[in-house]
Structures are given as structure tokens and as C-alpha cells.
Amino acid sequence: MTTADGTTTALDADGTTTALDADVTASALDVVRAGVLTTVQDEGRPGHAHLGVPRSGALDVHAHRLANRLVGNPADAATLETTLDGVALRTRTAVTIAVTGAPAPVRIGGRPAPWGAPVRVPAGEVLDVGRPTAGLRTYVAVAGGVAVEPVLGSRSTDLLSGLGPAPLTSGAVLPVGTPQRPAPPAPDAHPWQAPPHELVLPLLLGPRHDWFTEEALRTLAGPGYRVSPAANRIGLRTEGPALARIKENELPSEGMVLGAVQVPPDGLPVVFLADHPVTGGYPVIGVVPEQHLAAAAQAVPGTPVRFVVRGG
């Protein structure tokens, strides 16, 4: 952001700002409208659970990678993940961008622009990504990537641990890196998984499914669950029938994996997503394999959830 004395600052990992020199600010994005929740995300910081640091990273990793590929970035370049109502950015120099994930209206300088394709945005224009027409999270990639300072090897915002840059605020400035190669020709078509009307999640039982009654396991596999409005980057919370336990004693805290389905005292399953805690004290009834979590990231509140139980 530019202050009254003409100094330009950028968003820091701790949410504060740092003065930038002219070279760094030569290519940057001014945040005109931050949206409800827009964060910087890459492929996260795996391998730090022993430090109490979860992976974090883009919730819909397929959409994140596609956006990067469309603008010629490596897969691990940082993009913007918007939630619910998009974002608006003003470019300081001409840049190439691509918008993927939940389909949403895209406008550049007030004029309609393509979604799911690389687009050149002139200097000084406003890129406006609106509310998705389906799904929940949209990804904005810029050639060169969002070049905020990495923390533990990642530029991702981790809402639970507080690592990485704070969620975007209006007036902030996002530095943009140098493109590594020209954007590839725009494809005629590319694979895209539409946001689900029903979220079907395979679930491998364990390690604590024996803490629950047989009736609870049948209930879990049946209809009646839906995505809760309280779902977030930490976990996909559900609404529906409570699961009854056999064992009511306390459980020592133990390690958690991405996709773990924990059952807190209210009996309603929570599917842990990218910003989940690394330990927990409630029983894990099963685990959803990682490759199925991108669909969970796009499931809007009220979407029916069906667990396909395997094993046990």
C-alpha cells in the first residue's frame, strides 16, 4: 500500500506491512476489494507436523494448479484463493492472469473477460472476480506468482497457526514475481470438476471407529448429512444425526492427518481440511483419502454429504 509520504508497502507474513523499493513494486497488485476471505495459497508446507505446523495450502489444489499452468507458472507458485464473493485487484503493470475453481463472472476494466483461460490485463485496470455461480472457492493466478515472503518454505496463509500472510484487506499491495516463461497458448478445453450437488466422500474406517456403536456406523453410511455453514479451511463441519459412542472416556491427544474425520462431543463428523490441527483429543472414526478433499472445498453449505464407508 502507498502511504502519505509516498512509501510503498507490502503485506507481511504477520499481517503488518514492509516498505518496498521501486524494483519490487514495479509489478504488483493493489487490493481494491478483498472479499469475505481471500488468502494467498500455494501447495502448503508439508513435513512440519513435528513442529505443530499443518500443511495448509490451496483447498482445491486441482484448480490452483490449473490456474498456474494457464499463465505459465510452476505448480507451486502462489495464487489467491477467494471464498464466496471473489476479489478485485488493480494492476500496476500489464500482467497475465487466469481465474479457475468455482466459476464466477470476471471483468477487466468493467468489461466481461474469460474464466478458465489466460487473459492479459493492461496496467492500471481493475480485475474483478465476482460471486461464484456454483461452488465456493475461486483461484486467481498471475504470471510470476504472488511473491509474498515465504514462511517455512511456503507462502500459504494458515488461518489456524497464523503462519503466512494475513487474509487480504482492501488497500494492501501484493508483489508479483517475474514470469519464468511465456504463458502457453490457451487450450481449447481443459478438465474441470464441477462443484458437487451431492458430496460423496469415501471413508476408510479407523483408528477409533471401535469407539462407536454399530448403529452409529450405519448412521454414518446413511443419508441425512449436509455441509454446515460453520465449515471453513480447518474442517468441513456437518449437520445431521449425531453418532453414538461406546467409549465415553477421554482420549489422549494424538496426531491427525489430512482428511481425518473427527467426532467431537456433539456427535457430528468433521472432515479435517488443509488448516487442521496436528493433534486432537476426540476420536477419529475414519479418514477421507486426500484426492477427494478438493470436492469438499467447493461444497456450499447445505450440500448433502454421503460417506461411503470402507473397511472396519
Side-chain angles (χ1 to χ4, degrees):
M1 121 175 67
T2 302
T3 60
D5 63 359
T7 301
T8 301
T9 60
L11 203 60
D12 278 339
D14 61 359
T16 61
T17 56
T18 297
L20 298 175
D21 59 35
D23 288 340
V24 174
T25 58
S27 184
L29 303 172
D30 293 298
V31 180
V32 177
R33 179 177 60 84
V36 172
L37 177 64
T38 301
T39 59
V40 178
Q41 298 295 340
D42 54 20
E43 298 202 327
R45 43 183 73 85
H48 297 289
H50 63 294
L51 300 176
V53 176
R55 179 187 300 184
S56 193
L59 288 189
D60 187 344
V61 69
H62 305 302
H64 159 83
R65 290 172 179 167
L66 175 60
N68 272 330
R69 188 163 71 245
L70 289 172
V71 298
N73 286 346
D76 60 353
T79 63
L80 297 178
E81 177 186 279
T82 78
T83 305
L84 196 60
D85 69 345
V87 68
L89 308 162
R90 186 184 300 280
T91 61
R92 293 196 174 186
T93 60
V95 296
T96 299
I97 62 94
V99 180
T100 65
V106 180
R107 290 185 173 274
I108 297 174
R111 298 178 294 279
W115 169 90
V119 181
R120 192 71 173 165
V121 184
E125 292 282 17
V126 172
L127 164 73
D128 192 296
V129 180
R131 181 180 291 270
T133 55
L136 199 60
R137 294 180 168 90
T138 298
Y139 292 81
V140 181
V142 55
V146 178
V148 297
E149 192 69 22
V151 177
L152 293 176
S154 170
R155 295 182 167 91
S156 288
T157 300
D158 181 341
L159 296 179
L160 186 64
S161 300
L163 296 176
L168 264 59
T169 56
S170 299
V173 176
L174 295 170
V176 174
T178 302
Q180 297 186 6
R181 54 182 180 268
D188 293 330
H190 55 73
W192 173 67
Q193 183 69 48
H197 295 292
E198 180 189 38
L199 183 60
V200 180
L201 297 175
L203 185 140
L204 307 177
L205 288 179
R208 303 295 178 193
H209 71 277
D210 58 346
W211 281 47
F212 296 86
T213 65
E214 288 295 327
E215 179 59 27
L217 297 180
R218 287 191 289 272
T219 298
L220 182 66
Y225 289 102
R226 57 191 177 275
V227 177
S228 165
N232 54 28
R233 283 186 49 85
I234 296 169
L236 180 89
R237 295 185 178 277
T238 63
E239 297 176 331
L243 301 179
R245 286 169 52 173
I246 297 174
K247 300 181 181 179
E248 295 293 344
N249 47 307
E250 293 187 0
L251 177 70
S253 189
E254 56 187 4
M256 308 290 287
V257 299
L258 185 64
V261 180
Q262 191 181 58
V263 182
D266 65 6
L268 299 178
V270 180
V271 183
F272 278 155
L273 302 179
D275 288 358
H276 71 86
V278 292
T279 61
Y282 303 127
V284 171
I285 196 169
V287 177
V288 174
E290 181 177 343
Q291 63 266 32
H292 299 281
L293 297 178
Q298 297 292 5
V300 300
T303 300
V305 180
R306 181 161 56 91
F307 293 102
V308 180
V309 178
R310 300 172 179 172

